[in-house]
Amino acid sequence: LGSEAKARIIQEWGLDGGIADQLWRYLRGLLALDFGQSFQYRKPVVDVLAEKFLNTIILVVPAVVLAAALGLVFGLRAGLRANGVMDHLTIWLPPILRGIPTFWLGILLLMLFAYGLDWLPIAGMRAIGATGDTFAQKYLTLDFLRHLILPGACLAITSLPEPILLMRQSVRAVLREDFVS
């Protein structure tokens, strides 16, 4: 690169001036919700984040809803039957689930369901070569659902302990109240 091209790139990316000046411009941009340009994607960071945010919401919402529903069912059964099988299961299972690193559980699920049984895809959001311009074509397909199962299950499993323990303790507390006979 010639010195003229280098100077143009430095000025284009706002790397001119000292570190304090660059930091000040960055913080001022943050206050104005201007996150600048992405080096990798060559478009505004807000656009990149918006696309990733939608994908995150589509992954997180079903996983959390599933974890909450399963946690309520397991916690309710455990709370109603003290010293039962489900009660004992809910005493030792949540700490184990909480202690499993999410990435490690993800690797185990991949090894079992993607590599071992070949039931689910290994990576990505869609099959290679799949296209989709509209929301429905991208997210409302069986192919997308197959790709969502493993990461969703991983997130749901690691989110289970809190609703299980919360429901179990809530049921126990209500059963100890005077108005319950």
Side-chain angles (χ1 to χ4, degrees), residues 7-76:
R8 190 181 77 240
I9 291 172
I10 286 173
Q11 206 252 333
E12 179 183 332
W13 288 102
L15 301 173
D16 52 342
I19 295 291
D21 183 46
Q22 292 177 37
L23 178 63
W24 175 247
R25 279 186 289 181
Y26 173 72
L27 292 175
R28 200 172 52 213
L30 284 182
L31 289 175
L33 298 178
D34 176 16
F35 300 111
Q37 290 283 114
S38 167
F39 286 104
Q40 181 176 355
Y41 295 100
R42 302 282 191 219
K43 59 184 180 179
V45 171
V46 172
D47 295 345
V48 175
L49 290 177
E51 179 184 318
K52 306 302 182 195
F53 184 73
L54 178 62
N55 294 341
T56 302
I57 294 299
I58 289 172
L59 170 63
V60 169
V61 169
V64 169
V65 168
L66 178 64
L70 291 174
L72 291 176
V73 170
F74 294 148
L76 180 64

Side-chain angles (χ1 to χ4, degrees), residues 105-124 146-147 149-151:
L105 178 62
I107 291 170
L108 291 178
L109 291 174
L110 273 172
M111 287 172 56
L112 177 62
F113 294 107
Y115 294 116
L117 299 172
D118 197 28
W119 289 353
L120 297 169
I122 294 169
R146 288 187 69 236
H147 283 80
I149 290 173
L150 278 181

